């Protein structure tokens, strides 16, 4: 097993959040609920990058910032209709998911 860090993001509606993350290329891996009427905990993945989306209050704070490095930030920006900014370290854009979590997406400088 490779060691990894998996950020946990608080979401109000895990189904809606998973649909939004699908636009970023993430696919739903699994969902868990302790009972049908209890909050959901969902894993989404894009290649080897994983996020946990949790409806459980206290698992994470709203408004969290996650940085996602991608090969083509322009494709992401086009999907969401947002501009790309040139930074010394990367070309990047910032998105907000339906729950206000910030996803900064960048292609490192010198990557082509």
């Amino acid at each position: 097993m490779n060691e990894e860090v998996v950020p946990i993001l608080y979401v109000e509606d895990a189904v809606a959040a998973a649909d939004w993350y699908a636009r970023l290329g993430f696919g739903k891996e699994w969902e868990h609920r302790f009972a049908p009427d209890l909050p959901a905990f969902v894993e989404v993945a894009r290649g080897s990058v994983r996020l946990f989306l949790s409806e459980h209050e206290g698992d994470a704070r709203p408004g969290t910032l996650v940085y996602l490095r991608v090969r083509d930030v322009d494709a992401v920006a086009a999907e969401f209709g947002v501009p790309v900014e040139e930074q010394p370290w990367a070309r990047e854009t910032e998105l907000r998911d339906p729950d206000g979590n910030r996803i900064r997406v960048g292609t490192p400088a010198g990557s082509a």
Side-chain angles (χ1 to χ4, degrees):
M1 180 190 104
N2 291 331
E3 294 182 353
E4 62 184 333
V5 172
V6 182
I8 300 173
L9 301 176
Y10 176 75
V11 297
E12 291 282 333
D13 180 341
V15 172
D19 288 345
W20 187 88
Y21 281 92
R23 291 179 65 197
L24 262 176
F26 285 85
K28 183 175 170 183
E29 297 287 302
W30 51 261
E31 176 179 328
H32 173 73
R33 292 176 189 265
F34 286 103
D37 60 334
L38 292 178
F41 193 90
V42 173
E43 179 181 78
V44 295
R46 175 187 164 133
S48 63
V49 177
R50 302 189 180 293
L51 295 171
F52 290 149
L53 307 175
S54 178
E55 294 177 355
H56 294 265
E57 290 185 18
D59 272 358
R61 304 180 82 153
T64 297
L65 171 62
V66 173
Y67 196 98
L68 174 63
R69 285 189 178 142
V70 298
R71 286 186 180 84
D72 186 3
V73 70
D74 294 298
V76 172
E79 169 66 24
F80 288 89
V82 295
V84 174
E85 295 183 14
E86 298 288 337
Q87 304 293 351
W89 55 88
R91 298 184 72 245
E92 52 184 39
T93 192
E94 188 168 297
L95 308 170
R96 287 192 183 263
D97 75 10
D99 297 286
N101 294 301
R102 299 173 356 198
I103 310 299
R104 194 167 299 150
V105 184
T107 299
S111 297

